Amino acid sequence: MSGNAILKELVTASKAGRPAGICSVCSANEYVIEAAMEETLASGGVCLIEATANQVNQFGGYTGMKPADFYQMVLKMASDIGLPENMMILAGDHLGPLTWQKLPESEAMENSVELVYQYARAGFTKIHLDTSMKVADDPEGLLQTEVIARRGAKLYKAAMKGYEELKAEKPDAMRPVFVIGSEVPIPGGATEAEDTLAVTKPEAFRDTVSTYQRVWTEEGVGEGMKDVIAVVVQPGVEFGDEQVFDYNPAAAVDLCAALKEFPDICFEGHSTDYQTATDLYNMVTDGIAILKVGPALTFGLREALFSLSMMEKELVPEEKRANFIETLDQVMLASPANWEKHYHGDEKHLAQCRKYSYSDRARYYIGQPEVVAAMNKLFDNLREYPIPMNMLHQYMPISYAKIREGQLKLDPRELAMDGIVQFMLDYESAV
């Protein structure tokens, strides 16, 4: 069964009252992708990897990769690991004007059309059409659902153009499936502290679906709604620098009840990072079948690297240390564009956010050459000066237990990867 057939079966199972879900790994970090693949091999499931529009786009994004580059990188990694291609689903997240909101509609949508076309042309088969954000010349007030849907129809046409061209070259190319929605949480978590979080109203969800159906029909792509498998809503989960809004089934009960009126779609939950395993299971049970996670996974990697760095200070002579923590912060300070608009407060608080924020803006820097060099030096140092088990217990007690039970090797790189896996396991148990 192909990856997209599995996604459609997921919806069918969820509608039949059989709780079914999938974890969507939204990350361009190679360690995160590798960990996801390894876990898929171990569990026998399907590996869903999503690239976000600001990470990967026709201009290279912050990774320097275009859609075709990312697609080939992930498939090569899968081949090297031994993960069959039919156990992989590659997806595009927040495809739309996300990175071009300062441009007028004509330019922003021209870029968005090319973006979606390139993702579909490269072979991505799950596409989130996100036109929910305003662009420079949009009028004051909330963006109307009709405008969102009409822009979405234009992007759907671009995606299908890319798919048809791909299919002409590769007849077995899978037809893409789509995710829509107008109440879409911003990628990467909230930028300001919030006191409350509003759950999408059932009538707003119904209006989104009916508006898309009407507008797409008017735009000549009404049949395209059959390709839509999920709608993004706000079920009451979010995270910011220091806070996590936990899923409350009681608050989402009316919204989830409304989902039963639509037999061919499920909900896609964004910003599910840091939810407990119980909360994730409850979300799947309530029809939020696609659980997206991103910053929590690089947060887990960063957390493990910090623990390794602290042990390096105990074990390695000062002149030989990698000083990973300090190097990462120096790189972030030298290029603040990816964090300064997200973190607020005095210098002490900003320093804490750069290290420990749930929104994990450090993920934008962890692939920088200077940071990667420090990471590799850290691994080399801790192989030359091995970590004693009693010290490991102090800094990484969960990994310590895995080593004692024979589930993990005492290797610094493996320990860093385990920081990612610890978050993934909550999703694995939920889906």
Side-chain angles (χ1 to χ4, degrees), residues 124-419:
F124 289 77
T125 55
K126 175 181 175 292
I127 294 178
H128 173 209
L129 301 177
D130 184 7
T131 50
S132 63
M133 65 287 294
K134 295 175 68 172
V135 293
D137 53 357
D138 279 328
E140 293 292 325
L142 293 175
L143 197 60
Q144 296 298 308
T145 303
E146 178 157 341
V147 173
I148 295 170
R150 208 166 294 280
R151 290 174 181 173
K154 185 177 291 188
L155 298 188
Y156 174 82
K157 293 176 186 177
M160 296 312 293
K161 178 175 182 285
Y163 164 67
E164 293 297 341
E165 290 182 13
L166 176 65
K167 191 177 179 182
E169 294 177 2
K170 188 179 176 183
D172 61 345
M174 288 186 290
R175 184 182 181 91
V177 294
F178 295 84
V179 177
I180 60 170
S182 57
E183 294 198 14
V184 182
I186 62 170
T191 58
E192 303 279 355
E194 301 180 54
D195 295 324
T196 60
L197 196 63
V199 174
T200 298
K201 295 184 181 302
E203 52 269 29
F205 161 58
R206 294 187 186 99
D207 178 67
T208 291
V209 177
S210 63
T211 301
Y212 268 82
Q213 289 170 334
R214 174 177 58 80
V215 169
W216 280 28
T217 298
E218 292 170 359
E219 294 291 332
V221 291
E223 288 295 301
M225 287 299 294
K226 294 179 180 178
D227 294 321
V228 174
I229 63 164
V231 177
V232 181
V233 293
Q234 176 50 275
V237 298
E238 184 60 279
F239 61 90
D241 286 338
E242 299 177 355
Q243 63 185 160
V244 176
F245 287 94
D246 294 320
Y247 181 62
N248 179 359
V253 66
D254 292 338
L255 172 64
C256 294
L259 185 61
K260 297 175 183 177
E261 301 167 19
F262 301 90
D264 299 320
I265 58 175
C266 64
F267 285 147
E268 177 169 280
H270 287 217
S271 301
T272 70
D273 307 67
Y274 313 107
Q275 296 292 311
T276 67
T278 299
D279 288 337
L280 294 170
Y281 175 78
N282 287 337
M283 291 173 73
V284 170
T285 301
D286 288 344
I288 307 167
I290 303 171
L291 303 174
K292 308 192 88 162
V293 57
L297 303 179
T298 43
F299 179 94
L301 173 62
R302 191 273 317 151
E303 192 172 51
L305 290 167
F306 274 27
S307 293
L308 292 170
S309 190
M310 291 172 186
M311 287 186 280
E312 181 192 47
K313 288 177 170 57
E314 298 268 11
L315 297 168
V316 178
E318 185 174 357
E319 66 276 9
K320 296 184 68 172
R321 293 175 194 161
N323 295 316
F324 175 84
I325 296 173
E326 293 78 8
T327 300
L328 176 61
D329 199 48
Q330 288 165 9
V331 172
M332 292 181 74
L333 284 169
S335 303
N338 286 315
W339 61 265
E340 62 184 351
K341 294 179 182 177
H342 297 262
Y343 298 155
H344 310 280
D346 60 23
E347 288 304 315
K348 181 180 179 181
H349 185 71
L350 290 176
Q352 289 176 344
C353 287
R354 288 194 301 273
K355 289 181 177 179
Y356 304 116
S357 170
Y358 282 134
S359 61
D360 190 49
R361 305 301 293 182
R363 71 186 185 276
Y364 288 84
Y365 301 87
I366 211 161
Q368 294 294 317
E370 192 175 348
V371 180
V372 172
M375 188 190 313
N376 290 331
K377 185 176 181 182
L378 174 63
F379 294 159
D380 289 340
N381 282 346
L382 291 175
R383 291 183 183 118
E384 183 179 354
Y385 298 86
I387 302 167
M389 287 292 287
N390 54 2
M391 185 182 294
L392 183 68
H393 189 279
Q394 170 70 43
Y395 290 98
M396 306 180 80
I398 297 175
S399 298
Y400 167 90
K402 290 184 178 181
I403 292 170
R404 289 288 301 271
E405 294 167 5
Q407 299 173 12
L408 185 67
K409 292 191 297 184
L410 181 53
D411 176 82
R413 189 181 187 278
E414 294 294 318
L415 291 168
M417 295 285 285
D418 193 52

Side-chain angles (χ1 to χ4, degrees), residues 77-100:
M77 290 179 67
S79 176
D80 291 344
I81 288 171
L83 183 68
E85 189 172 345
N86 66 356
M87 294 175 69
M88 290 287 306
I89 302 172
L90 271 77
D93 191 27
H94 292 286
L95 301 191
L98 173 67
T99 56
W100 303 296

